Amino acid sequence: MTSRLDEFVPAFQFVERHAITIPASPARIYEAVSSVTAREIRLFRTLTWLRRFGRSGPESILNAPPDVPIVDVAVRTMFILLADDRPRELVFGAVVVSPRRARPAAKLTAAQFKALEEPGYAKAAMNFLIVAGTGGCMLSTETRIW
């Protein structure tokens, strides 16, 4: 199965994958992935609070408002929406390490993210991929870091 991750992070040093079969249509699964909130995911707020060491701070994926879709929080804070192939795949990316002197002043575009290969940078990309099959669809997520 092909993924748009191959377009943005074809080579990587770390990968993690998870998948589950869900008895629902691709459109319904896509809607659920793109609209789920922090309040709807059991222990999400507790675990992200622990990850922040209990500190408050600005809105981020680790400090998501309880009733705003997590995907929306991600793309308005740290993450870049790299591809939205509704209802098949969503792809996000972020620069997770950059040289202090070279931090981008603004969020990169998908094309800039794709082209970023300079030493000193680490970028991460992840997706939600929905593949229709018999008895439902497979929803998978993959994270790649380079």
Side-chain angles (χ1 to χ4, degrees):
M1 107 189 70
T2 61
S3 165
R4 297 284 303 272
L5 278 175
D6 296 331
E7 178 183 336
F8 294 99
V9 186
F12 45 91
Q13 296 159 317
F14 173 82
V15 65
E16 186 171 4
R17 297 177 183 102
H18 303 276
I20 188 171
T21 300
I22 301 170
S25 70
R28 178 64 194 115
I29 295 169
Y30 180 94
E31 176 60 30
V33 165
S34 61
S35 66
V36 68
T37 67
R39 185 185 310 273
E40 295 172 307
I41 299 174
R42 192 163 118 198
L43 299 178
F44 182 88
R45 297 179 74 206
T46 301
L47 294 172
T48 55
W49 180 85
L50 289 170
R51 174 66 174 83
R52 292 189 325 265
F53 302 107
R55 294 181 297 223
S56 61
E59 179 183 78
S60 73
I61 196 71
L62 293 177
N63 194 22
D67 298 312
V68 176
I70 293 171
V71 166
D72 293 351
V73 174
V75 296
R76 43 178 205 235
T77 58
M78 176 178 182
F79 289 84
I80 305 157
L81 179 61
L82 299 174
D84 184 351
D85 294 340
R86 184 179 307 240
R88 184 177 181 274
E89 186 175 23
L90 279 169
V91 181
F92 304 92
V95 174
V96 293
V97 174
S98 64
R100 185 175 300 266
R101 67 190 179 285
R103 273 206 189 277
K107 203 181 262 198
L108 299 175
T109 66
Q112 291 168 323
F113 181 90
K114 183 177 176 180
L116 184 62
E117 295 180 358
E118 298 167 31
Y121 287 89
K123 60 184 183 177
M126 69 164 294
N127 74 340
F128 293 97
L129 179 65
I130 302 160
V131 178
T134 55
C137 296
M138 183 186 68
L139 170 63
S140 64
T141 182
E142 183 173 337
T143 302
R144 296 178 181 179
I145 300 176
W146 171 258

